mmCIF file of all heavy atoms in Angstrom:
data_model
loop_
_atom_site.group_PDB
_atom_site.id
_atom_site.type_symbol
_atom_site.label_atom_id
_atom_site.label_comp_id
_atom_site.label_asym_id
_atom_site.label_seq_id
_atom_site.Cartn_x
_atom_site.Cartn_y
_atom_site.Cartn_z
ATOM 1 N N PRO M 156 90.497 232.920 238.504
ATOM 2 C CA PRO M 156 89.990 234.206 238.997
ATOM 3 C C PRO M 156 90.505 235.370 238.148
ATOM 4 O O PRO M 156 91.631 235.345 237.675
ATOM 5 C CB PRO M 156 90.543 234.291 240.429
ATOM 6 C CG PRO M 156 91.664 233.317 240.488
ATOM 7 C CD PRO M 156 91.401 232.264 239.464
ATOM 8 N N GLN M 157 89.643 236.372 237.979
ATOM 9 C CA GLN M 157 90.025 237.560 237.202
ATOM 10 C C GLN M 157 89.895 238.801 238.086
ATOM 11 O O GLN M 157 89.004 238.884 238.931
ATOM 12 C CB GLN M 157 89.109 237.732 236.001
ATOM 13 C CG GLN M 157 89.111 236.558 235.036
ATOM 14 C CD GLN M 157 88.266 236.850 233.802
ATOM 15 O OE1 GLN M 157 88.573 237.753 233.042
ATOM 16 N NE2 GLN M 157 87.207 236.093 233.611
ATOM 17 N N ALA M 158 90.773 239.766 237.822
ATOM 18 C CA ALA M 158 90.681 241.045 238.534
ATOM 19 C C ALA M 158 90.623 242.167 237.505
ATOM 20 O O ALA M 158 91.047 241.988 236.354
ATOM 21 C CB ALA M 158 91.894 241.231 239.437
ATOM 22 N N VAL M 159 90.072 243.302 237.912
ATOM 23 C CA VAL M 159 90.021 244.459 237.027
ATOM 24 C C VAL M 159 90.704 245.647 237.708
ATOM 25 O O VAL M 159 90.507 245.892 238.893
ATOM 26 C CB VAL M 159 88.560 244.823 236.643
ATOM 27 C CG1 VAL M 159 88.097 243.991 235.467
ATOM 28 C CG2 VAL M 159 87.606 244.652 237.808
ATOM 29 N N VAL M 160 91.524 246.340 236.934
ATOM 30 C CA VAL M 160 92.302 247.469 237.448
ATOM 31 C C VAL M 160 91.932 248.685 236.583
ATOM 32 O O VAL M 160 92.018 248.622 235.358
ATOM 33 C CB VAL M 160 93.818 247.147 237.351
ATOM 34 C CG1 VAL M 160 94.647 248.315 237.862
ATOM 35 C CG2 VAL M 160 94.137 245.875 238.141
ATOM 36 N N PHE M 161 91.489 249.749 237.249
ATOM 37 C CA PHE M 161 90.877 250.872 236.523
ATOM 38 C C PHE M 161 91.824 252.061 236.379
ATOM 39 O O PHE M 161 92.493 252.448 237.351
ATOM 40 C CB PHE M 161 89.620 251.333 237.271
ATOM 41 C CG PHE M 161 88.592 250.254 237.417
ATOM 42 C CD1 PHE M 161 88.597 249.417 238.525
ATOM 43 C CD2 PHE M 161 87.633 250.049 236.442
ATOM 44 C CE1 PHE M 161 87.658 248.398 238.664
ATOM 45 C CE2 PHE M 161 86.697 249.036 236.565
ATOM 46 C CZ PHE M 161 86.709 248.208 237.679
ATOM 47 N N ASP M 162 91.832 252.657 235.188
ATOM 48 C CA ASP M 162 92.640 253.870 234.949
ATOM 49 C C ASP M 162 92.174 255.048 235.799
ATOM 50 O O ASP M 162 92.923 255.987 236.038
ATOM 51 C CB ASP M 162 92.496 254.310 233.482
ATOM 52 C CG ASP M 162 93.457 253.581 232.579
ATOM 53 O OD1 ASP M 162 94.091 252.633 233.049
ATOM 54 O OD2 ASP M 162 93.551 253.969 231.403
ATOM 55 N N THR M 163 90.918 255.010 236.194
ATOM 56 C CA THR M 163 90.326 256.129 236.934
ATOM 57 C C THR M 163 90.468 255.976 238.451
ATOM 58 O O THR M 163 90.338 256.969 239.175
ATOM 59 C CB THR M 163 88.814 256.210 236.618
ATOM 60 O OG1 THR M 163 88.264 254.898 236.766
ATOM 61 C CG2 THR M 163 88.560 256.706 235.201
ATOM 62 N N ALA M 164 90.708 254.739 238.925
ATOM 63 C CA ALA M 164 90.578 254.463 240.364
ATOM 64 C C ALA M 164 91.495 255.346 241.218
ATOM 65 O O ALA M 164 91.060 255.892 242.244
ATOM 66 C CB ALA M 164 90.861 252.987 240.639
ATOM 67 N N PHE M 165 92.738 255.518 240.797
ATOM 68 C CA PHE M 165 93.705 256.283 241.596
ATOM 69 C C PHE M 165 93.208 257.710 241.851
ATOM 70 O O PHE M 165 93.485 258.298 242.901
ATOM 71 C CB PHE M 165 95.053 256.306 240.865
ATOM 72 C CG PHE M 165 96.129 257.090 241.572
ATOM 73 C CD1 PHE M 165 96.581 256.708 242.826
ATOM 74 C CD2 PHE M 165 96.698 258.208 240.979
ATOM 75 C CE1 PHE M 165 97.578 257.423 243.474
ATOM 76 C CE2 PHE M 165 97.696 258.938 241.617
ATOM 77 C CZ PHE M 165 98.137 258.545 242.868
ATOM 78 N N HIS M 166 92.446 258.241 240.907
ATOM 79 C CA HIS M 166 92.008 259.641 241.014
ATOM 80 C C HIS M 166 90.738 259.810 241.857
ATOM 81 O O HIS M 166 90.245 260.930 242.013
ATOM 82 C CB HIS M 166 91.775 260.224 239.622
ATOM 83 C CG HIS M 166 93.001 260.223 238.760
ATOM 84 N ND1 HIS M 166 94.153 260.865 239.111
ATOM 85 C CD2 HIS M 166 93.259 259.640 237.563
ATOM 86 C CE1 HIS M 166 95.077 260.687 238.166
ATOM 87 N NE2 HIS M 166 94.546 259.940 237.222
ATOM 88 N N GLN M 167 90.204 258.711 242.363
ATOM 89 C CA GLN M 167 88.971 258.812 243.149
ATOM 90 C C GLN M 167 89.182 259.510 244.499
ATOM 91 O O GLN M 167 88.234 259.787 245.215
ATOM 92 C CB GLN M 167 88.354 257.413 243.345
ATOM 93 C CG GLN M 167 87.533 256.958 242.140
ATOM 94 C CD GLN M 167 86.334 257.855 241.867
ATOM 95 O OE1 GLN M 167 85.475 258.031 242.721
ATOM 96 N NE2 GLN M 167 86.282 258.440 240.689
ATOM 97 N N THR M 168 90.433 259.802 244.824
ATOM 98 C CA THR M 168 90.705 260.529 246.075
ATOM 99 C C THR M 168 90.591 262.046 245.895
ATOM 100 O O THR M 168 90.709 262.786 246.866
ATOM 101 C CB THR M 168 92.134 260.221 246.548
ATOM 102 O OG1 THR M 168 93.020 260.437 245.432
ATOM 103 C CG2 THR M 168 92.279 258.791 247.028
#
Side-chain angles (χ1 to χ4, degrees):
Q157 301 185 63
V159 276
V160 179
F161 301 90
D162 275 9
T163 49
F165 179 63
H166 299 301
Q167 278 297 302
T168 50

